[in-house]
Amino acid sequence: QVQLVESGGGLVTPGGSLRLSCATSGTIFRIYNMGWYRQAPGKQRELVATIHSGGSTNYADSVKGRFTISRDNAKNTVYLQMNSLKPEDRAIYYCNLYGYGLNYWGQGTQVTVSS
């Protein structure tokens, strides 16, 4: 059974940083692509960043230069380093595993940016 468990969310002031983690189990992590999505209140879920099994990355324009996605295949974990956070980054952040016909989601972790 594939499981994705996010952690690292919380409350941070504007300009601050957070690092989200997504620990996976039940599958061969290294062969899958991973992504981070977010959903703000009243809005649709949107792509934040992806990292392919080979390590190539892709970012939403709104987070380029501020967020960094990375993966540790030895720990079956994907990370999202978020710097220079803005109030508009407030959302529930979801981890996504996809590829080879699979598509799994974590339960989400709340990120709140407020002074």
Side-chain angles (χ1 to χ4, degrees), residues 47-60:
L47 171 70
V48 176
T50 60
I51 183 165
H52 289 177
S53 58
S56 60
T57 59
N58 180 57
Y59 296 93

Side-chain angles (χ1 to χ4, degrees), residues 1-42:
Q1 181 180 358
V2 179
Q3 289 188 320
L4 286 71
V5 180
E6 300 101 332
S7 62
L11 172 64
V12 64
T13 55
S17 298
L18 283 174
R19 188 176 84 152
L20 305 184
S21 300
C22 173
T24 70
S25 61
T27 189
I28 306 172
F29 174 79
R30 59 180 172 82
I31 70 172
Y32 291 101
N33 306 316
M34 299 296 299
W36 285 99
Y37 289 73
R38 67 186 181 186
Q39 187 166 15

Side-chain angles (χ1 to χ4, degrees), residues 28-90:
I28 306 172
F29 174 79
R30 59 180 172 82
I31 70 172
Y32 291 101
N33 306 316
M34 299 296 299
W36 285 99
Y37 289 73
R38 67 186 181 186
Q39 187 166 15
K43 295 187 177 181
Q44 290 187 333
R45 190 173 298 189
E46 63 175 4
L47 171 70
V48 176
T50 60
I51 183 165
H52 289 177
S53 58
S56 60
T57 59
N58 180 57
Y59 296 93
D61 288 342
S62 59
V63 306
K64 280 182 182 176
R66 299 189 298 124
F67 291 10
T68 302
I69 189 171
S70 61
R71 63 190 297 159
D72 186 336
N73 290 339
K75 295 183 178 180
N76 297 337
T77 300
V78 63
Y79 303 97
L80 185 69
Q81 178 66 45
M82 306 186 294
N83 299 328
S84 302
L85 282 160
K86 304 176 181 180
E88 52 262 43
D89 294 319
R90 176 195 177 201

